Amino acid sequence: MTTPWDPAATGVLRLPSGRLVRGRALRRPLPPGPPPTFALYLLGRRPPAVPWEHRWLRWPDFRLPSDRAATADALQEAWARAGDERVEIACGGGKGRTGTALACLAVLDGVPNDQAVAYVRQHYARQAVETPWQRRFVLRFR
């Protein structure tokens, strides 16, 4: 078992179950503290190499993931691993795609689909989930 994220750290979302997931912008430097043990990178092109375990989901900026089944599988894995590992979800800016993925994790954690975007905006970033189709993706997730 790994030490979880510091729940007071910037960008760390506490899900209702107590699971902690760090969201972040890849355009910014790695935040201080321990590195993730597992990460999901939501980008239109392959991310740079990192020394921790990660998965890349092809997810162009302001759009939806290219492979919805693979995305659902990866989000389920991230949610499960967040129970006892440091899980990070990141995209270029850390708001739209990252917020959408975090809202989907909130759904997996028991937040109703129609409340998940508001939950993430309240507990992670007010600008999370940027487009109408990202909101619709969360509404239909599962």
Side-chain angles (χ1 to χ4, degrees):
M1 181 169 157
T2 342
T3 306
W5 298 114
D6 176 0
T10 303
V12 174
L13 172 68
R14 180 185 293 275
L15 294 167
S17 66
R19 285 174 165 86
L20 302 171
V21 180
R22 180 172 74 187
R24 79 174 180 104
L26 292 172
R27 291 187 197 120
R28 299 184 186 266
L30 189 65
T37 52
F38 177 72
L40 284 182
Y41 295 125
L42 318 172
L43 298 165
R45 65 177 73 160
R46 188 170 301 281
V50 291
W52 48 83
E53 187 179 353
H54 67 283
R55 285 178 74 175
W56 166 52
L57 296 173
R58 186 180 302 277
W59 192 332
D61 203 6
F62 297 107
R63 301 219 179 149
L64 295 177
S66 299
D67 184 335
R68 292 178 190 217
T71 299
D73 186 52
L75 291 170
Q76 181 68 44
E77 179 182 2
W79 177 82
R81 293 179 75 161
D84 61 1
E85 294 182 51
R86 289 186 305 273
V87 173
E88 170 178 271
I89 296 184
C91 64
K95 300 288 192 268
R97 294 166 285 180
T98 297
T100 302
L102 291 173
C104 291
L105 292 187
V107 169
L108 292 172
D109 207 59
V111 176
N113 292 60
D114 63 346
Q115 296 172 30
V117 171
Y119 183 88
V120 170
R121 287 178 174 169
Q122 179 181 359
H123 298 283
Y124 170 68
R126 287 179 303 170
Q127 310 86 356
V129 190
E130 296 174 312
T131 68
W133 40 93
Q134 289 171 342
R135 287 191 297 277
R136 194 166 39 250
F137 184 83
V138 174
L139 279 172
R140 296 177 179 167
F141 180 73
R142 203 99 192 243

